[in-house]
Amino acid sequence: SIDILCRTLAYFLVALFAKYDMEKQLKDMSFKDLLTGLQNRNKFIYDIDLLQKTKEGSLGIAYIDMNGLKKLNDTLGHGKGNEALQAIATRLTSLFRKDNVYRVGGDEFVVLCPDIPESIFKKKIEEMKEPQKWGIAQSVAIGAQWFDSVTDVNEQLKATDALMYEDKKA
């Protein structure tokens, strides 16, 4: 009877660990962009809610939009468009922690940097604006702002997004 008890216990432990691993894998998949490996819009929304609740420290925000993705896809194919998106992800993660970078739309990326010193954030943004380091032929539009404190994250995001659209028009 001890043998049966041990086998039953082992079965339940294996099932419990398998369930835990599966839940973790599903959560990771729901928060990850499969093409770039960055965090996705779901994780972005989740993190915005956390920032809004804590309202602690400073916040640096950058919006990045690749110009000409549709044209690239139409002329050279979606594979080339995907390569360009992956190059953008690589460039952003070379400057910022991967946990701070999100792909929030087809060709839109956001960087959220809570508690970053203003001088460091601005230095990274200046580095980001060097077009030759993107590894793509297309240009990118960038809007970036640093805030002394987290107030209304959605309003701060809108203001930064507007800066990106101004850069896109220019």
Side-chain angles (χ1 to χ4, degrees):
S1 74
I2 290 176
D3 183 47
I4 293 172
L5 179 63
C6 287
R7 286 178 196 228
T8 304
L9 184 60
Y11 169 79
F12 282 114
L13 288 173
V14 168
L16 184 66
F17 286 124
K19 180 182 176 233
Y20 173 79
D21 287 344
M22 184 64 71
E23 286 173 352
K24 184 181 180 323
Q25 192 174 18
L26 287 172
K27 184 177 179 183
D28 290 346
M29 287 173 60
S30 73
F31 282 168
K32 193 175 202 178
D33 177 62
L34 297 178
L35 177 65
T36 62
L38 298 176
Q39 299 179 100
N40 66 14
R41 178 175 278 290
N42 291 337
K43 182 70 163 118
F44 176 67
I45 292 167
Y46 179 84
D47 288 350
I48 288 171
D49 289 341
L50 285 177
L51 276 172
Q52 191 62 52
K53 287 175 186 171
T54 59
K55 290 189 178 185
E56 294 177 6
S58 63
L59 179 62
I61 302 174
Y63 261 90
I64 301 92
D65 183 279
M66 183 179 127
N67 296 316
L69 178 62
K70 181 176 177 3
K71 184 177 180 181
L72 179 63
N73 284 339
D74 291 346
T75 57
L76 298 177
H78 289 274
K80 288 293 182 189
N82 289 346
E83 286 175 18
L85 293 169
Q86 290 166 334
I88 291 172
T90 299
R91 177 70 176 136
L92 291 173
T93 56
S94 75
L95 294 168
F96 299 96
R97 287 182 33 230
K98 194 170 185 175
D99 291 349
N100 296 118
V101 184
Y102 307 81
R103 181 176 175 212
V104 294
D107 60 355
E108 285 192 357
F109 300 81
V110 176
V111 178
L112 292 177
C113 295
D115 294 323
I116 189 170
E118 183 177 13
S119 60
I120 292 173
F121 181 73
K122 287 186 174 183
K123 182 180 180 211
K124 289 177 180 286
I125 296 303
E126 287 307 311
E127 288 179 47
M128 190 185 341
K129 290 182 178 180
E130 298 173 12
Q132 70 278 9
K133 293 190 176 176
W134 283 97
I136 59 173
Q138 294 68 31
S139 64
V140 294
I142 301 168
Q145 278 188 296
W146 184 85
F147 300 92
D148 286 329
S149 62
V150 176
T151 54
D152 183 337
V153 179
N154 287 316
E155 288 301 315
Q156 291 170 314
L157 287 164
K158 283 180 190 176
T160 307
D161 190 34
L163 291 175
M164 184 270 298
Y165 277 104
E166 285 178 25
D167 189 45
K168 194 171 191 67
K169 286 178 190 175

